[in-house]
Amino acid sequence: AAGVIQSPRHLIKEKRETATLKCYPIPRHDTVYWYQQGPGQDPQFLISFYEKMQSDKGSIPDRFSAQQFSDYHSELNMSSLELGDSALYFCASSGRTAYNSSYEQYFGPGTRLTVT
Amino acid sequence: LAKTTQPISMDSYEGQEVNITCSHNNIATNDYITWYQQFPSQGPRFIIQGYKTKVTNEVASLFIPADRKSSTLSLPRVSLSDTAVYYCLVGYSTLTFGKGTMLLVSP
C-alpha cells in the first residue's frame, strides 16, 4: 500500500540558511501534519492542514512556514536555520473514516535535518 | 488538550503479555484514545484507537473503563521486535505526544 513520502530523507544545512521539506500524503488523504523530533525527545506537533487550509498550529517557530498545495502535498519552509533546528521532521497524513470523525495518522519516514 | 501520564519504562520477556496503562484525567468528551509505537529514527506507527470499552485488533487490545480517565494497552505474547517506545495520546485530530513508555523485551 502507498505510504507517506517525504523528501529529502537527509539534509545538511549551515546556520542561517533555508531549507524546504516536502511531504506527499497517502492518496485520498486530505489532512497533513508536521512534527519535529529532536534527539532523545518526543515528537512535537508543528502545524496541520486540512483541504489546503491551516487547521491547527502547534509549537512552530515564526521562522518556519508551511502550506498544502492543490495536489495535497505539503512543504515546510524553514529560514534562518539554527543549530537547535537539527531534528527529525515527520509528516503524517490522515483521512476521515467512514464510521467516526477520529483520524488515524500515518507517518512518513521523516527527514533528518542537520544544521552545522 | 488532555495530558497523559504513562510509565517511563517497562521490561518484559519474550512470550509474556504486556499491559501499559495511561492516565488521562482531563479527557474531553470528543477525545479518542490512540496508541502509537515508535522505533528509533522511524515515524510513529498507529497501533490501536478507541473511545470506550474494549477494542481489539490483530496486534493489541485497548481497555477503556467507563469513566475514560485511563486506558490500558495490552500486547499479547511480546517478541524482541516489540522493543520500542509506546505513546498514549488523547485528542480528536491533532496529536500531542507526551513522554512515552520505553518497552524493553528480553529473550
Side-chain angles (χ1 to χ4, degrees):
Chain A
V4 175
I5 298 172
Q6 291 188 245
S7 68
R9 294 293 310 278
H10 301 272
L11 189 60
I12 299 175
K13 291 286 185 178
E14 295 187 355
K15 284 193 303 182
R16 293 180 288 279
E17 286 192 319
T18 62
T20 297
L21 310 185
K22 297 184 179 183
C23 169
Y24 298 86
I26 292 172
R28 291 182 294 282
H29 278 190
D30 51 20
T31 306
V32 169
Y33 311 79
W34 285 97
Y35 296 85
Q36 176 193 60
Q37 186 170 28
Q41 302 296 312
D42 305 299
Q44 296 297 311
F45 169 70
L46 294 178
I47 195 167
S48 62
F49 293 86
Y50 168 69
E51 285 290 347
K52 292 152 281 184
M53 298 288 289
Q54 180 181 309
S55 57
D56 204 354
K57 191 172 182 179
S59 52
I60 184 169
D62 292 339
R63 299 178 288 108
F64 294 6
S65 65
Q67 57 181 323
Q68 186 179 31
F69 295 85
S70 58
D71 63 352
Y72 293 99
H73 95 273
S74 178
E75 295 184 3
L76 177 66
N77 299 293
M78 311 160 71
S79 62
S80 302
L81 287 170
E82 302 173 356
L83 295 179
D85 295 328
S86 295
L88 264 172
Y89 289 84
F90 292 109
C91 169
S93 72
S94 70
R96 186 179 296 273
T97 68
Y99 301 103
N100 55 50
S101 299
S102 68
Y103 293 85
E104 175 182 329
Q105 294 188 22
Y106 295 83
F107 283 75
T111 294
R112 183 175 295 280
L113 171 66
T114 301
V115 181
T116 62
Chain B
L1 293 173
K3 182 177 179 181
T4 60
T5 303
Q6 51 185 118
I8 294 175
S9 64
M10 293 184 69
D11 295 321
S12 183
Y13 294 96
E14 281 190 294
Q16 289 189 332
E17 177 184 73
V18 172
N19 296 307
I20 307 175
T21 297
C22 177
S23 297
H24 28 80
N25 292 316
N26 299 319
I27 189 169
T29 302
N30 61 347
D31 284 342
Y32 282 77
I33 301 159
T34 312
W35 286 79
Y36 280 79
Q37 175 194 56
Q38 187 178 28
F39 298 111
S41 297
Q42 293 187 27
R45 185 177 73 97
F46 172 89
I47 301 174
I48 198 167
Q49 182 181 73
Y51 185 80
K52 61 181 178 181
T53 65
K54 176 183 175 182
V55 180
T56 298
N57 61 22
E58 62 276 9
V59 297
S61 294
L62 178 59
F63 299 91
I64 306 170
D67 65 6
R68 303 199 331 121
K69 294 184 182 298
S70 67
S71 59
T72 298
L73 173 72
S74 180
L75 304 172
R77 299 178 298 282
V78 294
S79 63
L80 297 178
S81 62
D82 292 318
T83 293
V85 177
Y86 292 81
Y87 291 98
C88 162
L89 301 101
V90 295
Y92 184 74
S93 58
T94 299
L95 300 179
T96 300
F97 286 83
K99 296 297 181 184
T101 298
M102 175 66 222
L103 173 65
L104 176 62
V105 180
S106 301

